[in-house]
Amino acid sequence: MSQQTSATVAVFASPTSWIESDALDQCHQVAALDGMIHVAAMPDLHPGKGAPIGAAMTSATLYPFLVGSDIGCGIAVFPIRLRRADPARLAARFPDLDHAPDADDPAWDVVRGDIPAGHVEGLGTVGRGNHFVELARVGTVVEPDHASRLGLAAGDLVLVVHSGSRGLGERILRAHTEVHGAGPAPDPAAYLAMHDDAVRWGSLNRRLMAARVAHALGAEPAEPVVDQCHNLVEVRDGVYLHRKGAAPGDGRDVLIAGTRGTPSYLVAAHAGPDANHSVAHGAGRKMSRADALRRGRAKHTVEELRRTPVGSLVVCGDRQLLFEEAPTAYKRIEQVIADLVEHGLATPVATTVPLVTYKTADIGRDRRRKRGRS
C-alpha cells in the first residue's frame, strides 16, 4: 500500500509579516491528514483550536473540524442613510444585540420564508469573541468605478456585520465530534446539508441584525452590497475546499475587517488555485486572548479602550472582552492588505472607518446615561 504524502503548503505573506510558528505547524499538521491536497495560508494566519485560522485547505476528504463550530460566519456590508452621524448619540441608540428581537420588532420583515433548520434560538444576536456590528463611514476610495457599481462613495455610511450561525454550527460540529472526533465526515452529503443550512442561517442573522440597528437609528434597512462567509466548505473541481477564517476570493467583493481602531478594506478578490481561490478575512490575531488581557491591563484603562485611535466609540459592557479585542491584539491590517496585493490576490476598492463598534450591550452604562438625563 502506498504511503500518504503530505499536501503542499503555501504561505501568502511577506517575510516581514508576523506569522506565528504554531500556526505554521498547524498548517503542516493539516497537510499530513489523509486525502489533503493543498493548504493555502493567508497573511492573517494564526493558531486555532486544532486547525489554523486564516487558511483554505483542499482535500479529497471532508473534515468538519477544519471548518469549525461557527459554520457560516462571515462579514456583510449594508448601506445606511442617516441625517447626522454623531457617534455618541448613535452609540446610545444601538439595540441590545445580545438578546433576540421582540416579536413585534419591524426588523423581522427581512425574514422571508422558512428559517434555515428551523433554528430560532439566537437569531438576531451577535455573539461574542471577535464578532461585532459597526457603523462606519466610507473613507478612501481607491477604485471609484468599482465602488460606484456597489453604490458606494466616499463619505457614505455603512453597517458592517460580522457574525455567524451562533449555536446552530456548534450543534452540527458537536454531533460529529462526539462520534468521530477530528476524523472525516462518514456521510459528506448529510454533513453538507446541515452545513448549508448553517451558512444560510448566518447570512440571515447578519441581515436581521443590520435591520435591527437601522430601525433603532431611524433608518430604513437595505440589502447588503457585500456578504461573504469565511467559515465553510464547498465542493470545487471534485474536491472539498475548506475555509477557516478565509473568504472566497474568486471574483468576489470582500470586506476584510481591520480592528475597531483601524480602517477595514473592501477589496475586489481575484485569487487563483495556488491560494485555493481565497483571501484573508481580517487583520488576524497576533496575541492570544490571555496575553491581550494581561498586556492590555498594564497599558490601558477601560475608558481609554472605549474610544479608539480613529475617534470612534466602542459599545462593550464586558471589560475582559474590551481588553481581549483591543486593536493592539491584532496584526496591522495595512500589512495584510499589502501582502494580498503583492501576491496578486486582491485589489483594494475602498476603506471603511469605524464610528461606533458594538461588541456587547453595556446595560450599566445605559442606565447611568438615563439617570443623568432625568
Side-chain angles (χ1 to χ4, degrees):
M1 189 167 70
S2 62
Q3 188 176 359
Q4 159 79 21
T5 57
S6 285
T8 51
V9 176
V11 181
F12 292 88
S14 67
T16 56
S17 293
W18 170 254
I19 303 286
E20 287 180 73
S21 58
D22 286 353
L24 292 173
D25 289 346
Q26 285 187 335
C27 287
H28 288 284
Q29 289 160 11
V30 167
L33 293 171
D34 286 345
M36 293 304 297
I37 299 166
H38 182 55
V39 177
M42 298 295 120
D44 60 335
L45 184 77
H46 55 286
K49 292 179 182 177
I53 300 171
M57 302 151 278
T58 48
S59 173
T61 305
L62 199 168
Y63 289 97
F65 89 99
L66 293 183
V67 178
S69 61
D70 200 7
I71 305 164
C73 186
I75 297 178
V77 180
F78 301 80
I80 183 169
R81 295 189 181 280
L82 300 171
R83 283 192 292 273
R84 284 178 58 220
D86 173 44
R89 186 176 65 87
L90 295 173
R93 295 177 62 180
F94 262 65
D96 179 356
L97 298 173
D98 295 358
H99 295 94
D102 294 335
D104 59 353
D105 194 312
W108 285 112
D109 289 347
V110 303
V111 180
R112 302 181 185 99
D114 294 337
I115 294 172
H119 187 79
V120 179
E121 185 183 351
L123 190 60
T125 64
V126 67
R128 292 294 180 96
N130 64 350
H131 295 160
F132 64 85
V133 177
E134 184 169 276
L135 176 67
R137 191 185 298 279
V138 176
T140 305
V141 176
V142 186
E143 297 286 341
D145 288 348
H146 194 120
S148 179
R149 287 198 295 275
L150 293 172
L152 299 177
D156 286 356
L157 298 177
V158 292
L159 288 173
V160 179
V161 183
H162 176 201
S163 191
S165 58
R166 308 291 280 109
L168 178 58
E170 190 175 354
R171 190 177 76 188
I172 293 167
L173 181 66
R174 193 188 307 121
H176 172 83
T177 55
E178 282 176 351
V179 181
H180 307 286
D187 184 345
Y191 170 81
L192 284 172
M194 294 184 290
H195 160 284
D196 291 351
D197 276 342
V199 169
R200 287 192 294 271
W201 198 100
S203 181
L204 177 61
N205 194 39
R206 291 187 285 277
R207 286 170 182 251
L208 182 55
M209 280 191 285
R212 292 185 70 186
V213 174
H215 283 299
L217 300 186
E220 284 298 314
E223 290 292 306
V225 294
V226 170
D227 186 9
Q228 292 299 336
C229 171
H230 50 239
N231 283 2
L232 76 165
V233 60
E234 66 174 90
V235 181
R236 187 184 183 111
D237 301 327
V239 300
Y240 298 105
L241 169 51
H242 311 75
R243 292 188 175 100
K244 173 71 169 171
D250 47 352
R252 319 282 183 95
D253 296 315
V254 178
L255 193 286
I256 301 178
T259 71
R260 65 189 187 217
T262 62
S264 295
Y265 282 76
L266 177 63
V267 304
H270 37 73
D274 287 351
N276 278 339
H277 309 281
S278 303
V279 293
H281 80 307
R285 295 194 73 91
K286 70 176 180 184
M287 287 184 210
S288 68
R289 295 187 177 278
D291 282 347
L293 187 60
R294 178 175 52 81
R295 295 185 190 187
R297 281 177 168 161
K299 282 185 175 180
H300 304 290
T301 66
V302 168
E303 286 308 313
E304 283 172 347
L305 292 178
R306 291 190 195 277
R307 186 174 289 277
T308 76
V310 295
S312 62
L313 299 179
V314 181
V315 178
C316 183
D318 183 334
R319 293 180 172 221
Q320 181 172 325
L321 189 62
L322 263 175
F323 288 107
E324 289 176 348
E325 288 291 308
T328 50
Y330 285 82
K331 305 179 189 189
R332 288 184 61 248
I333 185 63
E334 293 81 6
Q335 184 65 56
V336 170
I337 300 300
D339 286 355
L340 294 174
V341 171
E342 182 183 332
H343 288 90
L345 306 187
T347 300
V349 174
T351 62
T352 64
V353 182
L355 295 175
V356 178
T357 303
Y358 178 101
K359 296 292 293 180
T360 184
D362 192 351
I363 303 300
R365 199 174 179 86
D366 291 343
R367 285 178 183 149
R368 290 193 298 275
R369 272 199 209 100
K370 285 173 184 172
R371 280 203 303 269
R373 286 199 296 264
S374 60

